Amino acid sequence: MKKLAVISGIISCLTLLSCNHNNKNIDITYSENEQYYSMIANFSENKNRDVEKYMDYKLGWRSNTSFVNATINGTIALDDHTTFYIKKEPGHLKIKLDKTENSDEAYNRVKALCQGIKKVVINQ
């Protein structure tokens, strides 16, 4: 009976480890104050390509920029003068926009991008 309990426990642990290995946890945080709008997203690396394509669709065409297969840690300046900080690596994305340095249109565009990313990573 003890062996059955031990085997069952091992199987349960392996199941939990495999779920964590697939990185299915999604954590998206938005924050905003007078000066900054930001988003931090952690998601399954399997969704990375979908997020990159979405970013290309929403922003990339404005500056002939592609986010696909790019690891980024720095400030991006688009042709329309939108500037924002981005840290992007597989399964992780951080965007921070300084509202005092960007137009209302740029702010609304980046905010819509960030909110759309949530839909991309949640859709299975």
Side-chain angles (χ1 to χ4, degrees):
M1 193 57 110
K2 260 187 175 179
K3 286 183 182 181
L4 184 58
V6 170
I7 291 172
S8 178
I10 291 172
I11 291 172
S12 295
C13 288
L14 291 174
T15 302
L16 288 174
L17 289 174
S18 70
C19 289
N20 289 337
H21 178 70
N22 289 335
N23 226 2
K24 291 187 179 186
N25 293 332
I26 298 171
D27 181 27
I28 300 175
T29 305
Y30 302 95
S31 65
E32 184 168 5
N33 60 33
E34 289 279 324
Q35 187 172 0
Y36 294 105
Y37 175 81
S38 65
M39 175 196 74
I40 299 173
N42 293 295
F43 49 89
S44 170
E45 289 184 20
N46 295 336
K47 286 292 187 178
N48 211 57
R49 180 65 65 143
D50 295 335
V51 170
E52 292 170 337
K53 287 181 179 181
Y54 179 75
M55 291 177 69
D56 279 0
Y57 171 73
K58 295 302 270 184
L59 295 180
W61 64 271
R62 293 181 183 281
S63 296
N64 197 23
T65 301
S66 178
F67 295 95
V68 175
N69 293 326
T71 299
I72 305 168
N73 186 5
T75 301
I76 297 278
L78 302 178
D79 287 346
D80 66 0
H81 304 290
T82 300
T83 60
F84 58 93
Y85 169 80
I86 181 171
K87 182 175 182 180
K88 182 185 145 321
E89 51 194 39
H92 176 79
L93 179 64
K94 178 179 182 178
I95 294 175
K96 185 174 186 179
L97 176 106
D98 186 332
K99 296 190 288 187
T100 64
E101 294 181 2
N102 288 280
S103 67
D104 288 342
E105 183 181 333
Y107 159 74
N108 289 325
R109 188 172 29 259
V110 171
K111 184 175 181 178
L113 167 79
C114 292
Q115 292 171 346
I117 287 170
K118 180 178 182 178
K119 294 175 184 173
V120 171
V121 299
I122 289 175
N123 287 334
Q124 302 298 326

